């Protein structure tokens, strides 16, 4: 599986990850090499095998939908915000 | 070196309980040791002396009042991927360089309930992605047995700190070997519990179906003591199991008679250093001498697919988990962008290092339209087969034994430009995370002065048998007593 530069750029776009042209070149080679190696998985017969998403048998862990006393104060939540304004997280305009 | 910092957790607890030492004395000895060796080892990202001494004073008050638990007053270092309220938690990433968690991870709450002394946070591969601690955005950590070599990773800082007496014990996290491989490389004990045994609440997520927190300690007994403190159900982690966690110290019986130990042939892989093979074989013969029945011919044929399966599943989960670093709520934020999309892309571009970017790309690719079935779903099906093989092996064997890593610690820089070679360093440890079973790495010998670890695996929620075998081996050998020259 040899990736093209365009494919690498498309993957980066899906992940919203900015890459320099040099990184596109480097990752193209490295990811191609890794994916080529992983082609071996296609040798495994999995026709009657269900996928495993997690290794423990727990299912549908539920709890009562109730308010707990442990909510954090607004100030503590905002303390790590790169930008804030009047007790809000400040973001760039989403709609132009 | 002040001899207090050489103490095991068990011994330090005895001395504190008998009031022969105080937590403040012990903590001061640890702080002095850190100051002495850190310039060379660089195991710590954050050390807070004032906070440590204040906690030690509180612990001493509890002890004076007769309130002492096994970890009370014991200095510890925590891998910097575990949230510590009020103390910077960076994941060794520029992205979280200034992040101060507003809450404690459940394991931290549990440790604090025993009045442990949190001295600081240890270096790691960025977001726990790596096998050498060279992927830290800040600095590499050095192996105390040879400063030109890596300590393993991603919990390299924690393993180095325990090996070189910068702490009495440490916590690490293990997604594909990140506790066991550095423990093996540094000649200390490292346990990855069964998935679901220890709460992941407050552990910064890398691959949520694989991550577990576990102890890194000087001795097996200490490992049991730390497990007693951190194991158990947590309503805040829906993947933590509602099973009763036993008293792990009850497993510290030096007895392997009547135990059947299997040796999976596929773990003695191509490319394994012959010295590592020999040392682990000698260690297995020791277990046989002690009375265990060894089955040398156990086979887990799908092991060879584990690496590919792991490096599709883990990056896929990572690509979803790391999407949260958008520069809005916390963490690094690229300020000079013209619009929202540019801000998002540049925040990730400048906030993440190479390996993190590689895994986001790999995971995004494996999950993307047209490739999902061929990569991600296929990897999950192979995961089923790998788990099934372990289940079958444990019908016949009480435990399995292998090397922890196919090599001794490699040189700094040796594998940095070849990601696939770096991934191969986890080849013996990552099948365990895929299957969700528990495993421990213990000191098993030396090759030209470099440590070799032995990995013991058991069926889910059977950490007890791991500790029992590890303890029996430790009692019969003295590898764990050897300390690095630093």
């Amino acid at each position: 599986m040899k990736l093209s530069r365009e494919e690498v750029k498309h993957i980066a776009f899906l992940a919203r990850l900015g890459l320099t042209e040099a990184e596109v070149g480097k990752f193209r080679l490295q990811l191609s090499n890794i994916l080529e190696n992983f082609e071996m998985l296609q040798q495994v017969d999995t026709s009657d095998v269900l996928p495993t998403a997690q290794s423990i048998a727990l299912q549908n862990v539920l709890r009562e939908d109730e308010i707990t006393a442990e909510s954090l104060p607004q100030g503590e939540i905002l303390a790590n915000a790169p930008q804030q304004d009047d007790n809000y997280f400040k973001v760039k305009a989403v709609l132009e | 070196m002040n001899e207090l910092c050489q103490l095991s957790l068990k011994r330090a607890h005895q001395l504190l309980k008998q009031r022969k030492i105080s937590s403040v004395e012990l903590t001061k000895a640890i702080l002095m040791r850190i100051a002495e060796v850190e310039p060379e080892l660089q195991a710590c990202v954050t050390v807070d002396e004032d906070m440590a001494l204040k906690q030690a004073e509180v612990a001493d008050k509890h002890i004076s009042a007769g309130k002492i638990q096994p970890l009370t007053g014991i200095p510890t270092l925590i891998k910097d991927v575990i949230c510590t309220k009020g103390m910077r938690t960076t994941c060794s990433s520029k992205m979280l360089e200034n992040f101060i968690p507003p809450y404690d991870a459940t394991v931290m709450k549990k440790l604090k309930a025993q009045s442990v002394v949190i001295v600081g946070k240890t270096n790691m591969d960025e977001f726990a992605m790596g096998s050498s601690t060279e992927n830290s955005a800040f600095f590499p950590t050095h192996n105390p047995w040879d400063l030109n070599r890596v300590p393993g990773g991603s919990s390299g800082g924690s393993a180095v700190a325990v090996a070189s007496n910068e702490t009495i014990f440490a916590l690490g996290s293990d997604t594909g070997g990140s506790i066991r491989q550095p423990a093996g490389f540094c000649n200390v004990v490292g346990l990855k519990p069964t998935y679901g045994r220890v709460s992941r609440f407050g552990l910064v997520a890398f691959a949520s179906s694989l991550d577990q927190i576990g102890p890194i300690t000087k001795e097996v007994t200490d490992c049991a003591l730390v497990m007693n403190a951190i194991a158990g159900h947590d309503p805040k982690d829906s993947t933590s199991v509602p099973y009763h966690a036993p008293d792990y110290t009850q497993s510290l019986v030096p007895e392997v008679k009547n135990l059947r130990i299997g040796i999976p042939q596929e773990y003695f892989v191509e490319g394994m250093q012959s010295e590592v093979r020999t040392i682990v074989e000698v260690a297995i013969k020791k277990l046989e001498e002690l009375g265990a029945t060894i089955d040398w011919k156990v086979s887990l044929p799908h092991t060879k697919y584990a690496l590919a399966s792991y490096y599709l599943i883990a990056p896929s989960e990572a690509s979803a988990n790391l999407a949260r670093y958008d520069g809005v709520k916390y963490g690094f934020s690229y300020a000079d962008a013209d619009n929202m999309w540019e801000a998002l892309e540049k925040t990730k571009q400048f906030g993440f290092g190479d390996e993190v970017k590689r895994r986001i790309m790999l995971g995004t690719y494996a999950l993307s339209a047209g490739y999902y079935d061929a990569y991600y779903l296929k990897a999950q099906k192979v995961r089923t087969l790998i788990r099934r093989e372990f289940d079958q092996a444990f019908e016949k064997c009480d435990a399995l034994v292998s090397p922890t890593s196919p090599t001794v610690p490699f040189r700094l820089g040796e594998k940095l430009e070849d990601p696939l070679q770096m991934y191969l360093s986890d080849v013996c440890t990552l099948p365990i995370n895929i299957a969700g079973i528990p495993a421990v790495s213990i000191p098993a010998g030396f090759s030209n002065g470099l440590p070799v670890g032995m990995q013991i695996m058991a069926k889910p929620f059977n950490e007890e048998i791991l500790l029992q075998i590890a303890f029996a081996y430790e009692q019969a050998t003295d590898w764990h007593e050897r300390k690095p020259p630093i």
Side-chain angles (χ1 to χ4, degrees):
Chain A
M1 187 72 212
K2 276 265 180 277
L3 295 174
S4 67
R5 289 184 73 89
E6 288 316 305
E7 281 174 304
V8 172
K9 285 181 182 176
H10 178 64
I11 301 164
F13 169 75
L14 292 176
R16 298 289 175 188
L17 174 64
L19 293 181
T20 62
E21 285 299 317
E23 282 178 317
V24 170
K26 182 169 75 172
F27 288 148
R28 187 178 79 84
L29 294 176
Q30 290 177 338
L31 294 174
S32 296
N33 184 27
I34 291 166
L35 289 168
E36 240 168 42
N37 189 279
F38 291 178
E39 292 277 302
M40 71 184 302
L41 281 186
Q42 306 310 325
Q43 301 164 7
V44 187
D45 179 6
T46 53
S47 40
D48 295 322
V49 181
L50 292 172
T52 296
Q54 48 101 333
S55 55
I56 43 174
L58 297 180
Q59 281 182 347
N60 298 337
V61 178
L62 304 173
R63 64 166 175 80
E64 291 301 315
D65 185 15
E66 56 195 13
I67 298 167
T68 66
E70 292 185 53
S71 293
L72 291 163
Q74 194 178 32
E76 284 184 33
I77 288 297
L78 284 164
N80 280 296
Q83 283 192 296
Q84 54 168 296
D85 190 3
D86 194 21
N87 285 335
Y88 287 98
F89 292 106
K90 195 173 169 186
V91 296
K92 298 242 179 245
V94 178
L95 300 171
E96 298 296 332
Chain B
M1 178 179 11
N2 184 318
E3 62 187 21
L4 289 185
C5 47
Q6 294 171 290
L7 294 171
S8 69
L9 168 52
K10 181 190 171 190
R11 186 72 190 131
H13 170 68
Q14 285 169 346
L15 294 175
L16 285 167
K17 194 173 180 180
Q18 295 160 358
R19 314 262 188 98
K20 289 192 174 147
I21 59 169
S22 70
S23 175
V24 169
E25 283 173 302
L26 182 58
T27 304
K28 280 184 176 164
I30 288 291
L31 289 170
M32 275 176 61
R33 178 64 178 164
I34 289 173
E36 180 190 350
V37 297
E38 264 306 283
E40 286 186 277
L41 297 176
Q42 302 189 113
C44 300
V45 171
T46 301
V47 175
D48 191 333
E49 297 199 6
D50 294 342
M51 186 104 90
L53 288 169
K54 270 183 205 149
Q55 294 172 83
E57 283 167 18
V58 171
D60 280 333
K61 276 185 196 147
H62 288 310
I63 296 169
S64 299
K67 286 189 282 182
I68 183 166
Q69 293 171 276
L71 268 49
T72 306
I74 303 286
T76 185
L77 288 169
I78 306 297
K79 186 179 183 182
D80 214 13
V81 68
I82 297 172
C83 284
T84 43
K85 186 175 181 175
M87 185 183 264
R88 201 166 70 117
T89 298
T90 69
C91 291
S92 288
S93 177
K94 196 181 172 199
M95 189 63 89
L96 292 177
E97 194 169 2
N98 300 307
F99 175 64
I100 298 176
Y103 63 89
D104 268 323
T106 296
V107 291
M108 297 316 300
K109 275 196 173 167
K110 286 178 173 235
L111 292 184
K112 286 180 179 177
Q114 292 208 22
S115 210
V116 76
V117 176
I118 295 142
V119 175
K121 308 294 290 287
T122 57
N123 198 23
M124 53 187 277
D125 287 298
E126 184 178 8
F127 284 101
M129 298 177 189
S131 313
S132 69
T133 314
E134 291 167 291
N135 292 336
S136 166
F138 307 138
F139 41 75
T141 298
H142 297 258
N143 192 312
W145 293 92
D146 178 345
L147 296 174
N148 296 314
R149 290 177 188 268
V150 303
S154 66
S155 312
S158 285
V160 167
V162 172
S164 46
N165 295 316
E166 291 181 270
T167 183
I168 302 298
F169 78 95
L171 290 187
S173 70
D174 191 316
T175 305
S178 283
I179 287 174
R180 292 158 288 154
Q181 185 251 23
F185 276 11
C186 294
N187 202 48
V188 293
V189 177
L191 174 74
K192 185 205 87 78
T194 312
Y195 183 80
R197 181 50 100 191
V198 176
S199 169
R200 293 184 297 111
F201 181 78
L203 170 68
V204 178
F206 159 17
S208 304
S209 82
L210 305 162
D211 298 340
Q212 266 290 285
I213 294 171
I216 298 179
T217 59
K218 296 173 183 176
E219 296 176 6
V220 174
T221 302
D222 296 359
C223 185
L225 291 168
V226 178
M227 277 301 286
N228 275 0
I230 64 173
H233 180 237
D234 176 13
K236 287 182 173 168
D237 172 5
S238 62
T239 63
S240 90
V241 293
Y243 307 155
H244 174 70
D247 174 3
Y248 291 101
T249 61
Q250 297 295 312
S251 308
L252 302 172
V253 185
E255 178 63 72
V256 292
K257 287 198 182 82
N258 304 320
L259 289 185
R260 192 171 172 86
I261 296 174
I263 314 303
Q265 297 169 51
E266 291 82 1
Y267 282 67
F268 292 78
V269 290
E270 213 179 308
M272 170 168 285
Q273 288 172 348
S274 60
E275 273 275 283
V276 170
R277 173 193 293 266
T278 309
I279 285 165
V280 174
E281 282 173 355
V282 169
I284 293 165
K285 280 173 190 148
K286 187 69 174 180
L287 291 170
E288 191 167 32
E289 245 174 67
L290 295 169
T293 304
I294 308 293
D295 180 349
W296 292 92
K297 294 238 183 295
V298 171
S299 179
L300 304 168
H302 282 90
T303 301
K304 65 178 167 186
Y305 303 111
L307 185 103
S309 170
Y310 175 88
Y311 276 101
L312 290 167
I313 292 170
S316 294
E317 294 185 17
S319 72
N321 275 327
L322 271 64
R324 76 190 63 182
Y325 299 102
D326 54 13
V328 173
K329 299 181 291 302
Y330 47 79
F332 171 77
S333 185
Y334 184 80
D336 296 331
D338 292 332
N339 59 59
M340 183 196 73
W341 292 114
E342 191 194 353
L344 192 52
E345 288 177 1
K346 292 271 170 67
T347 292
K348 289 165 194 270
Q349 179 171 356
F350 296 114
F352 290 138
D354 269 9
E355 184 59 28
V356 174
K357 287 179 190 171
R358 246 186 317 266
R359 297 207 195 181
I360 290 173
M361 298 280 289
L362 197 52
T364 303
Y365 181 75
L367 292 174
S368 64
Y371 299 102
Y372 182 92
D373 285 2
Y375 287 101
Y376 182 63
L377 197 63
K378 187 77 180 180
Q380 283 191 314
K381 288 179 177 175
V382 173
R383 183 177 190 178
T384 304
L385 295 173
I386 291 167
R387 170 61 186 262
R388 196 181 286 169
E389 279 179 2
F390 274 113
D391 288 345
Q392 285 162 356
F394 289 125
E395 281 170 20
K396 293 182 195 142
C397 302
D398 298 294
L400 301 171
V401 166
S402 79
T404 303
S405 179
T407 69
V408 294
F410 43 92
R411 289 181 190 283
L412 283 152
E414 193 178 319
K415 302 190 180 186
L416 215 46
E417 291 308 313
D418 189 345
L420 201 54
Q421 280 305 308
M422 188 73 92
Y423 297 171
L424 280 165
S425 185
D426 301 331
V427 71
C428 299
T429 47
L430 53 80
I432 281 69
N433 301 70
I434 290 178
I437 63 175
V440 67
S441 177
I442 57 169
F446 287 83
S447 167
N448 292 321
L450 295 170
V452 172
M454 171 164 71
Q455 175 174 248
I456 313 170
M457 309 156 240
K459 62 181 159 191
F461 304 105
N462 203 354
E463 285 82 1
E464 293 101 311
I465 202 110
L466 299 181
L467 292 168
Q468 184 181 333
I469 296 167
F471 186 69
Y473 181 80
E474 189 182 79
Q475 292 293 300
T477 55
D478 59 5
W479 307 118
H480 64 288
E481 288 169 14
R482 294 208 195 172
K483 298 295 168 190
I486 190 159

